[in-house]
Amino acid sequence: MIKLRVNGKSVAVAAEPDTPLLWAIREHLKLTGTKYGCGAGHCGACVVHVDGRAVKSCQLSLSRAAGSDVTTIEGLSPDASHPLQKAWIAEQVPQCGYCQSGQIMKAVELLEKNPHPSRDQIVRHMDSVICRCGTYTRIVSAIQRAAGEV
Amino acid sequence: MGNIKLDTAQISRRHFLGGAAGLTFVISIGPKGTWLVADAAAKAPEYAIGAWVRITPDNQLTIITPAAEMGQGSMTGVPIALAEELDADWSTVTLEMAPADPATFGYNRRGGKVMRITGSRAIRSYFEQMRLAGAQVRKVLLQAAAEEWGVDASTLVTEPNTVVDRLNKRKLSYGEIASFATVPAAMPTVSTDELKKVSEFRLIGNPVPRADIPAKVDGSAKFSIDVQLPGMVYASTVHAPVQLAEPESWNDSEVRRIPGVIDVVRLDKGVAIVADTFEHVLAARRVLAVDWKKGAPAEGYDSEKALEQDYMAMAMDRQSPRRSVAETGDVTNAFASAVKVYKADFRSDYCYHAQMEPLNAVARFNAAGDKVEIWEGTQSPGGSRAAIADALEFEFEQVIHHQMYMGGAFGRRSITDYTIETALIARATKRPVKMIWTREEDLAFAMFRPQNLQCLEAALDDDGKIAGWRHCVIGDGDRLITSGINIEDYYTIPNRLIEQLGASHGIRLKHWRAVAHPFNIFAIESLVDEIAADQGLDPLEFRRKRLAMTPKAEAVFDAVEKLSNWHTPRPDGRALGLSVTERSGSLGAGVVEISLDRERGRIRVHKVWAAIDGGIIVQPDMARANVESGIVYGLSSVLKERATIKNGAVVQSNFHDYQVLKMSEAPEEIHVEFLDRETSPTGLGEIGNPFIGAAVANAFHALTGKRLYHMPFTPERVRAALQT
């Protein structure tokens, strides 16, 4: 059993230590908002926060996440009221939606560190999360809309 | 805002009607086609029945949405047409996903009914049918209110969810009417003449937020990969490196010793590992070693050799069997009497759909093994359900189908081979199974957009007009390489010969967003630009003076000229390129603004302008999002995407070597304008994609004087072009 905190709750996962955090979150804890896209750290669909940092959860083993504080999209706000979630709706960002949990979690990290990023700073920060539907221009608009509110 | 219930696919009539007070309008498929009838009338055995609309006394509406949702917004856009004619208050509408029942919920296609959402078909195929259904329901409500008040129905009007008697200053909400009215035994008929005029639309043309978006910002949207069932186990299939080779044998006992492994299942074209957790499946995948049978058609195939050498040899060989795609006028004479002939060859590489959700499905059999429940995301619910039934030797009804959101589709998901695998694994294992292809598997066993060579020739007559046109496309995939090759929707060159030369490589191929349009339009519009430049004319002026354009084409070129400020000079180091395209009944023209890092060979597209005639635009923002998406998806394949095959095996394995466009490579600005039209809606899901190749190549020429002839425009190819 490996213990950690997920979305503010203590949990224990019965899985081998080298299990990627992604699969522990999705299939052991049934928090399926975090997505599997590549399993190799290339796409960012699996981004969650580990102790406040945006991390590709397919690249972090459960043992290394032990004892840490993990936030997934489900724990970002109780009612989708986070300024970035509201901005995502206002800009009608998602299309297929599959990458968007990773996009939002990555964007949260940016605005927490830098409340008023420039366009270049947004693009540099977000560049590791792929959106195959090509919602990039709307993601930039949504982050700019939420800037200063996080 | 409309609510959405996705996970309620099994709306049998009983469930839908189930004890609910109010009015339910069911659909009948009879000799007169699809028609709404009263529930009682629909009980006649010759009618297939299902429900479209329910109105309850609390003034809430439920509308069934038949359109698979892959991000294009159609699950919202299609029922808006019904809600419009019903005069529904959209804030009271709940959407329910239709079951996989094309006989009831399909649109008319080639004499049958299908629910397949491919070819940008959702809105344009369902539009009239949904409007007529909505208008019928509205008529019933008007009649019921008229009888209640003792007035003539013609004196009444509707406002959203309300029947209004203006003379006597009274109103009844649809919910109030539903509390006393019954659906008449004979539903009123409605003709298209009775539908609203464009000026009367309340919902169409005005922004309605997409119903699926709230669930896509908080992680609650359910894709098939998210399904959880009691007792569910996990599986993943391993396919041969050489596509479509069959398994001979494998290290079965070694694999079964991996902790958690439950089963190893032989499939026709693969071996599936089943385990208690997905991490155990992955561990077993690393151990599994399969001997594959020899003799798969792809064995030994080298895609680069085929593209660089074999296709050209085929094109040069006059004995090669050609298929005529289109022929008009006297092409031989046009070339014989030409003042000047232009020739150019173009190439495009294999492209992979790369939908973000690796293909997967969930299957569960009942204890008796004579029914299977399926959870999947498919573009073709009816087709998939039938194919699964076929593979299991079941009847259609033995497959219970749950349609889920799709994490991207782009044409890949109208064949659900992955779901058939899942069903077979679940049957063999006798457990509910979630089967996931790893990304590596998804790419190795991909169905590609075919690579191809295009040989084009144009003949100029003594007026300097293009009088003759020859275009031959060479490659595998039959129709997968010919869509978009016919120019008649925008240019009326009098003498044309368009041909195809087929190859066969044993590689899985599939419709890829806009099919063959992206590479065919690349070739066509690149050559037009080349001739314009040689003739010393501005590309737009050349088209206007030397090509007979259709009125639609003239209009979109005029619009994009203004939208992009075509004639305004750009800063140093920037240049514009232009292209036209048709797709799915729509016509568009686009302009891109690029810069170039000459040392690194990197093209950067900064801005894109697109002017599109798509008929009535049901939802402008959703339509714009579709075009933006098409542009980025198209640009990705134009600049980066490239799959190659060596010895029959796909070389690339994940997003590090099959790269797709990132945010830093996407345009900073995309401007989309829809021409104001009152014609029926046409497809918009793919119109943004095909013009990008030629527009970028033509901008590259404007900037450097050099031409690009091979997509994608990789740094190596760009640097090579600069040195010519």
Side-chain angles (χ1 to χ4, degrees):
Chain A
M1 285 294 213
I2 292 170
K3 289 180 182 164
L4 60 163
R5 282 175 72 77
V6 177
N7 298 334
K9 283 186 206 146
S10 296
V11 296
V13 182
E16 280 89 345
D18 62 349
T19 300
L21 177 62
L22 168 66
W23 296 108
I25 291 170
R26 283 186 52 80
E27 303 296 341
H28 290 267
L29 300 173
K30 319 283 187 209
L31 293 167
T32 54
T34 303
K35 300 301 192 221
Y36 164 63
C38 72
H42 302 308
C43 78
C46 66
V47 167
V48 298
H49 288 196
V50 177
D51 295 330
R53 280 186 50 237
V55 168
K56 289 172 175 166
S57 63
C58 75
Q59 294 300 292
L60 188 71
S61 66
L62 192 53
S63 59
R64 288 187 56 204
S68 56
D69 222 321
V70 175
T71 306
T72 69
I73 187 75
E74 291 90 345
L76 184 58
S77 68
D79 49 2
S81 60
H82 188 281
L84 275 163
Q85 290 173 308
K86 290 203 279 193
W88 242 247
I89 292 173
E91 296 290 338
Q92 295 278 289
V93 174
Q95 292 195 21
C96 89
Y98 195 77
C99 73
Q100 299 295 345
S101 299
Q103 302 281 5
I104 291 170
M105 296 310 284
K106 188 73 182 169
V108 169
E109 182 193 48
L110 174 65
L111 292 190
E112 283 178 353
K113 285 195 305 202
N114 179 0
H116 295 284
S118 66
R119 189 183 192 283
D120 277 356
Q121 288 170 327
I122 293 172
V123 171
R124 224 172 301 137
H125 184 86
M126 299 299 295
D127 210 29
S128 58
V129 190
I130 295 171
C131 173
R132 188 60 171 149
C133 300
T135 64
Y136 296 129
T137 53
R138 289 179 187 236
I139 289 173
V140 172
S141 302
I143 293 172
Q144 288 169 335
R145 177 187 278 264
E149 290 179 39
V150 174
Chain B
M1 188 192 310
N3 298 309
I4 176 72
K5 287 194 222 161
L6 191 68
D7 207 17
T8 53
Q10 300 315 307
I11 31 168
S12 67
R13 238 183 79 251
R14 186 170 301 133
H15 165 89
F16 198 80
L17 303 174
L23 299 173
T24 297
F25 297 86
V26 299
I27 192 170
S28 97
I29 316 294
K32 291 178 192 162
T34 304
W35 213 237
L36 285 168
V37 296
D39 185 31
K43 286 191 177 112
E46 69 267 30
Y47 293 121
I49 50 173
W52 275 125
V53 185
R54 183 175 62 214
I55 304 171
T56 46
D58 59 355
N59 206 26
Q60 296 298 301
L61 274 60
T62 302
I63 303 178
I64 303 304
T65 181
E69 184 58 60
M70 60 199 100
Q72 84 284 32
S74 304
M75 78 181 308
T76 310
V78 167
I80 280 173
L82 189 154
E84 177 70 68
E85 296 294 340
L86 169 56
D87 236 349
D89 172 352
W90 189 255
S91 69
T92 68
V93 172
T94 296
L95 301 179
E96 283 192 13
M97 186 55 81
D101 177 9
T104 307
F105 296 103
Y107 58 85
N108 297 314
R109 175 120 179 120
R110 291 180 183 150
K113 284 192 159 282
V114 295
M115 293 173 76
R116 192 170 62 244
I117 304 300
T118 54
S120 306
R121 218 170 268 145
I123 297 276
R124 64 187 169 119
S125 302
Y126 277 110
F127 190 63
E128 187 175 295
Q129 181 177 335
M130 295 301 269
R131 289 179 75 191
L132 288 169
Q136 262 191 302
V137 176
R138 178 174 169 274
K139 256 193 181 178
V140 171
L141 294 165
L142 280 166
Q143 189 56 42
E147 282 167 19
E148 178 74 5
W149 286 326
V151 298
D152 192 295
S154 65
T155 65
L156 305 177
V157 296
T158 55
E159 288 173 4
N161 271 26
T162 312
V163 174
V164 181
D165 179 356
R166 283 185 181 151
L167 280 174
N168 299 297
K169 295 194 168 57
R170 53 191 171 181
K171 292 179 177 185
L172 279 170
S173 76
Y174 288 178
E176 287 170 314
I177 296 168
S179 68
F180 63 76
T182 53
V183 180
M187 283 287 286
T189 56
V190 176
S191 77
T192 49
D193 307 339
E194 296 174 75
L195 298 176
K196 287 185 182 180
K197 294 184 185 65
V198 169
S199 61
E200 294 171 318
F201 289 156
R202 298 180 204 266
L203 295 170
I204 293 171
N206 292 310
V208 171
R210 269 173 46 186
D212 56 327
I213 282 187
K216 290 177 175 177
V217 305
D218 66 6
S220 63
K222 290 285 180 265
F223 302 80
S224 57
I225 201 167
D226 301 330
V227 169
Q228 305 288 345
L229 297 175
M232 185 178 81
V233 297
Y234 297 84
S236 188
T237 311
V238 175
H239 303 92
V242 176
Q243 277 203 343
L244 297 169
E246 294 173 13
E248 177 83 62
S249 61
W250 61 86
N251 53 342
D252 195 71
S253 54
E254 198 180 339
V255 174
R256 285 177 190 270
R257 279 200 295 274
I258 306 287
V261 169
I262 294 166
D263 205 353
V264 185
V265 179
R266 178 189 292 270
L267 297 166
D268 188 25
K269 306 289 186 215
V271 178
I273 294 164
V274 185
D276 58 346
T277 66
F278 196 65
E279 57 270 21
H280 287 148
V281 172
L282 292 175
R285 272 186 71 103
R286 289 190 283 270
V287 171
L288 178 71
V290 184
D291 283 329
W292 302 97
K293 288 182 187 165
K294 299 277 177 249
E299 224 168 73
Y301 172 56
D302 180 333
S303 64
E304 288 179 275
K305 180 183 164 291
L307 186 59
E308 296 299 336
Q309 301 168 25
D310 303 351
Y311 289 179
M312 188 52 87
M314 288 166 66
M316 304 295 281
D317 180 1
R318 288 177 187 280
Q319 306 302 314
S320 301
R322 289 156 194 262
R323 182 173 80 84
S324 171
V325 178
E327 189 167 4
T328 178
D330 186 344
V331 178
T332 309
N333 184 48
F335 278 86
S337 60
V339 170
K340 189 160 186 181
V341 171
Y342 292 88
K343 280 181 80 163
D345 306 322
F346 300 85
R347 288 177 172 83
S348 293
D349 293 344
Y350 285 104
C351 283
Y352 160 54
H353 297 88
Q355 75 296 331
M356 289 309 297
E357 181 189 13
L359 294 172
N360 69 87
V362 175
R364 173 169 67 188
F365 280 80
N366 63 350
D370 60 3
K371 267 205 174 126
V372 65
E373 239 182 315
I374 296 288
W375 289 260
E376 66 164 346
T378 170
Q379 291 176 256
S380 182
S384 178
R385 191 176 165 194
I388 295 161
D390 225 35
L392 297 171
E393 298 184 333
F394 274 8
E395 297 297 320
F396 191 69
E397 291 71 26
Q398 288 170 278
V399 179
I400 299 158
H401 189 271
H402 301 272
Q403 171 73 307
M404 309 300 290
Y405 286 124
M406 279 174 270
F410 312 116
R412 174 61 186 86
R413 290 181 191 250
S414 59
I415 289 181
T416 55
D417 49 339
Y418 47 98
T419 309
I420 290 172
E421 281 190 355
T422 308
L424 293 169
I425 297 163
R427 172 137 83 183
T429 309
K430 298 187 166 55
R431 310 256 199 131
V433 168
K434 181 192 286 190
M435 197 289 298
I436 305 169
W437 287 355
T438 60
R439 173 61 63 189
E440 290 81 2
E441 201 62 50
D442 198 284
L443 179 43
F445 203 51
M447 293 176 159
F448 295 100
R449 182 181 93 180
Q451 68 172 16
N452 58 86
L453 166 70
Q454 324 223 12
C455 302
L456 281 81
E457 291 175 83
L460 241 57
D461 66 14
D462 43 15
D463 293 331
K465 293 190 170 167
I466 300 183
W469 186 260
R470 285 193 187 121
H471 187 166
C472 182
V473 60
I474 300 112
D476 195 358
D478 198 16
R479 286 168 192 276
L480 297 180
I481 59 170
T482 58
S483 87
I485 201 168
N486 211 335
I487 55 180
E488 65 191 359
D489 284 349
Y490 41 96
Y491 302 141
T492 49
I493 297 172
N495 309 296
R496 299 192 303 272
L497 176 62
I498 296 168
E499 293 177 309
Q500 176 196 12
L501 250 172
S504 179
H505 306 306
I507 295 298
R508 284 157 44 98
L509 304 171
K510 186 74 181 73
H511 308 80
W512 186 96
R513 194 174 193 172
V515 196
H517 281 62
F519 47 81
N520 282 321
I521 304 283
F522 160 55
I524 293 162
E525 282 290 82
S526 290
L527 182 61
V528 168
D529 196 81
E530 194 166 332
I531 302 168
D534 185 69
Q535 294 289 306
L537 285 172
D538 171 86
L540 206 43
E541 292 313 304
F542 175 79
R543 285 170 173 83
R544 286 175 179 147
K545 288 183 176 151
R546 307 286 190 82
L547 273 164
M549 285 199 276
T550 62
K552 259 191 173 185
E554 283 176 6
V556 293
F557 274 121
D558 289 351
V560 87
E561 179 183 30
K562 285 199 199 81
L563 188 66
S564 66
N565 292 309
W566 173 254
H567 301 286
T568 306
R570 266 35 186 192
D572 274 353
R574 300 269 181 115
L576 300 182
L578 174 77
S579 175
V580 72
T581 187
E582 54 76 28
R583 176 64 183 157
S584 306
S586 293
L587 198 83
V591 170
V592 301
E593 181 179 317
I594 70 160
S595 67
L596 174 66
D597 179 337
R598 286 169 192 258
E599 241 166 74
R600 296 166 74 198
R602 284 191 141 163
I603 297 169
R604 182 73 216 282
V605 175
H606 298 275
K607 298 178 185 178
V608 182
W609 298 266
I612 290 157
D613 180 345
I616 292 171
I617 303 299
V618 175
Q619 281 296 303
D621 189 58
M622 286 181 214
R624 204 171 295 119
N626 271 286
V627 177
E628 291 166 3
S629 173
I631 286 169
V632 174
Y633 198 86
L635 184 59
S636 186
S637 77
V638 166
L639 295 182
K640 304 192 79 172
E641 292 180 42
R642 177 168 194 258
T644 51
I645 291 140
K646 267 262 180 294
N647 291 322
V650 178
V651 173
Q652 295 73 20
S653 65
N654 205 318
F655 286 123
H656 65 291
D657 55 2
Y658 188 90
Q659 294 194 7
V660 300
L661 209 72
K662 294 181 172 185
M663 186 184 276
S664 61
E665 300 158 323
E668 295 132 38
E669 292 176 23
I670 300 176
H671 303 276
V672 180
E673 181 180 304
F674 296 106
L675 275 64
D676 203 9
R677 294 281 186 256
E678 297 196 355
T679 49
S680 293
T682 49
L684 295 173
E686 299 157 288
I687 189 71
N689 177 350
F691 75 86
I692 286 286
V696 171
N698 296 342
F700 183 83
H701 177 263
L703 194 62
T704 66
K706 309 289 184 182
R707 297 243 167 232
L708 295 165
Y709 293 103
H710 194 160
M711 291 203 299
F713 310 144
T714 59
E716 300 72 42
R717 288 174 188 161
V718 167
R719 285 196 297 261
L722 288 172
Q723 279 158 20
T724 53

